Amino acid sequence: MSRGRLRVYLGAAPGVGKTYAMLGEGRRARERGRDVVVGLVETHGRPRTAALLEGMEIIPRRTVVHRGATFTELDVDAVIARRPKVALIDELAHTNVPGSKNVKRWQDVDEILDAGIDVVSTVNIQHLESVNDVVQEITGVPQRETVPDEVVRRADQIELVDMSPEALRRRMAHGNVYAPEKVSAAMSNYFRVGNLTALRELALLWVAGKVDDQLDRYRADHGIATTWETRERVVVALTGGPEGDTLVRRAARIAARTKGADLLAVHVTSADGLAGADPASLARQRTLVEDMGGSYHQVVGDDVPRALLDFARGVNATQLVLGASRRGRFAQVLSRGVGVETTARSGSIDVHMITHEEAKRGRRRPARTRAALTRTRRASGWALAVAGMPLLTAALAPFRDMLSLPSEILFFLCLTVGVALVGGMWPAITAAVGGSLLLNWFFTAPVGEFTIAAPENLFALVVFVLVAAAVSTIVDIAARRTREAARAGADAELLSTMAGHVLRGEAAVSSLLERMRETFGLTSVTLLERRPEAARAPDQQSDPDAWRIVATSGGAPATCPGRSDTDVVIDEELVLAARGEPLEAADRTVLEAFAAETAVALRQERLQQEAELARPLAEADRMRTALLAAVSHDLRTPLASAKAAVESLGSTEVAWSEQDRSELLATAKESLDKLDRLVANLLDMSRLQAGVLGVSAQPLALEEIVPRAIDDLGPLRDRVEGDVSVELPDVLADPALLERVLVNLMSNAVRFSPPGRTVLVTASGHGDHVEIRVMDRGPGIPPEAHDRVFQPFQRLGDRDNHSGVGLGLALSRGLAEAMGGTLVPDETPGGGLTMILTLPVAAPGR
């Protein structure tokens, strides 16, 4: 049985018409003769959406009871048993009620797809996991219901339901999205024009990325290698040379000319892995590319122009940026070079040849490497060449009349190859020349003279020397490549180990310096930073006052680059200074890679420190933003009610009865009291955060405080029952603050308790402390939300703006802790929430 197909309608915000579009598609499919059922659709009270459900088959929902409350969810088994062709299932990111078959609705949908049923669903951009934090940053509203991006990306078809912010706000103003009493608060908070514009851009960009993936897959499936200029993509080729920074910046400027253009950097490495660029330079240029908003890539290929163009066509690039050749004029005459060859083969890709200062200086000669063979082998080769040839001559002399010259040449050639295998090229060439002289003197007529009578003998000796030299060269190159391969393997293993430390989070600066010191056998390794006040001058290299030690490992550190045995310049501000034996050129290359990684680790540490310093400021800013968003309705409602009551009382156009005047005055008083409590809560929360809240602790009798707090609830007092024993010891607390905490806890419990159920307040002694429990029979909160419920401006499970700004529990915990107590939530046996307030017992005699 084949898997069903998934179609997703993606929107930027609630109200753009995702569910409406889904139902419209369902009705059209039904008209075409397909078997369509509605698995689950949320109309949110919108009449036009509800009208589309008329006449459609709806699968009954499954009932789930959780914490004494009844909920309805999608009945997956019923949909599969019905086996329609298409099922319409709304809100893909929805989290199912605990006790359901699956945790998330997208898992329900996946199960239905596995049964071979096509599914049409909806999701908003803010529910995608990858942009969840971005949406919270933009709107200030956390989204707890998310769906993995990969689930949506796997959809066979994604349709964007787009609407301009102005059109959506008009739709809201007409009452087509939310109830009239909620429109004002919604439009002044989440549905501001700026928020909607940003969410719309996120949705468009996410869908554009999905379209790019589909286009790449189509081109790959159909073998299309030519470039389709659907979007500007600029590729810059890097060699690791000093001109790389110039090329990256120029490519970034080219990409910036077109909105939404991509910047990609690529480096082509040789297939043998031996001849490579400076890893430190490449690491620095990679960081620069990423700072410019681009991405870095590395490909392998011996034909550099072909590798560059294959990569460019693979990413559908439109422009390719190359640096002007650093080769000399004679080399350019012999071969056209990478730039010219790439331009000739580029086809529809535009190639930019960028001039730079390094082009005038020519290609730098690589540093001279160590000999391929060890000193012992070279000495053995020289000894074999000097002693072996005379000994071979003495051994062959008695058989001079029995052997022909070609046979004698073969013996000498074998010895020459042996010398080459042992000592390398130069001992072998010396043996070849010496062997040719010995062959000429002892074995070529006329014997005993350096003259050659027969021309073919001269030819044979010349060939002998050439073959011996060629074999010696090949053996020496093979030995050198073997040594270089071993060195490259060791370097790769070392860099792999360093990368492993980075991935495991062990890339602290001190850890990297210690690893460098151990790896290269150095006495000490020090990371130096130029002091900001120090002027840049050549003599600063030996001035300790111009440098500051960032971190060091080992013995006595180098206080400036001039006092080190090896120094590596990382950038204009940072230098790595090492003491110990001077390093070879190959070791220095690896050390430069370590140095570049150390600089990255230092920047990461400093960014983390800055983030730690900025976190309190960000939290305060988030608090202010949440406060403004939360109180916009809560301040306006009591003010509007009080203002309307006072204006009505002051009106001369209406003759109010005494009862009417009393009701208006009561309304004004109630509204102003609510406003007074709100302002008092806000002020106390501010004092708590500033640490300036005054607490006057004194012994208090709970049997007096609890009834007084219940009386302060006003009309809600009848729904609270107190059970506090007079035998309890006094607690040490501030009377006003304790009463405030109890009022907040009891009013919150009453608000969430079912009608007809009372809130119970009890107290019990436990040694040096007393526990006060406020128990309700409401829906409760899940254990994972126990800590989050105490965050300011949180109203779990309460999405309207009629229940306060969510300061009550946060303020209550803060006041409890200010009095030396604690406030923790717990589950009420049988369902509900219990808030446990713990206070210290007053010492006797206080």
Side-chain angles (χ1 to χ4, degrees), residues 229 232-237 250 254 305 308-309 312-313 317-324 337-354:
E229 298 184 15
E232 286 291 341
R233 286 186 175 87
V234 181
V235 174
V236 54
R250 179 62 64 85
I254 293 173
L308 282 176
L309 291 173
R313 293 189 179 105
T318 56
Q319 303 187 62
L320 181 60
V321 177
L322 304 173
V338 172
V340 177
E341 192 66 31
T342 303
T343 304
R345 303 184 196 174
S346 62
S348 60
I349 300 176
D350 298 335
V351 179
H352 301 265
M353 295 289 293
I354 308 300

Side-chain angles (χ1 to χ4, degrees), residues 770-785:
V770 173
E771 289 185 354
I772 305 171
R773 295 174 177 263
V774 180
M775 296 178 284
D776 66 49
R777 293 292 181 179
I781 57 175
E784 61 270 16

Side-chain angles (χ1 to χ4, degrees), residues 526 528 543-549 557-564 577 579:
T526 307
L528 299 173
D543 182 7
D545 295 333
W547 300 88
R548 181 178 67 87
I549 296 177
T559 55
C560 61
R563 297 185 181 180
S564 65
R579 282 184 167 178

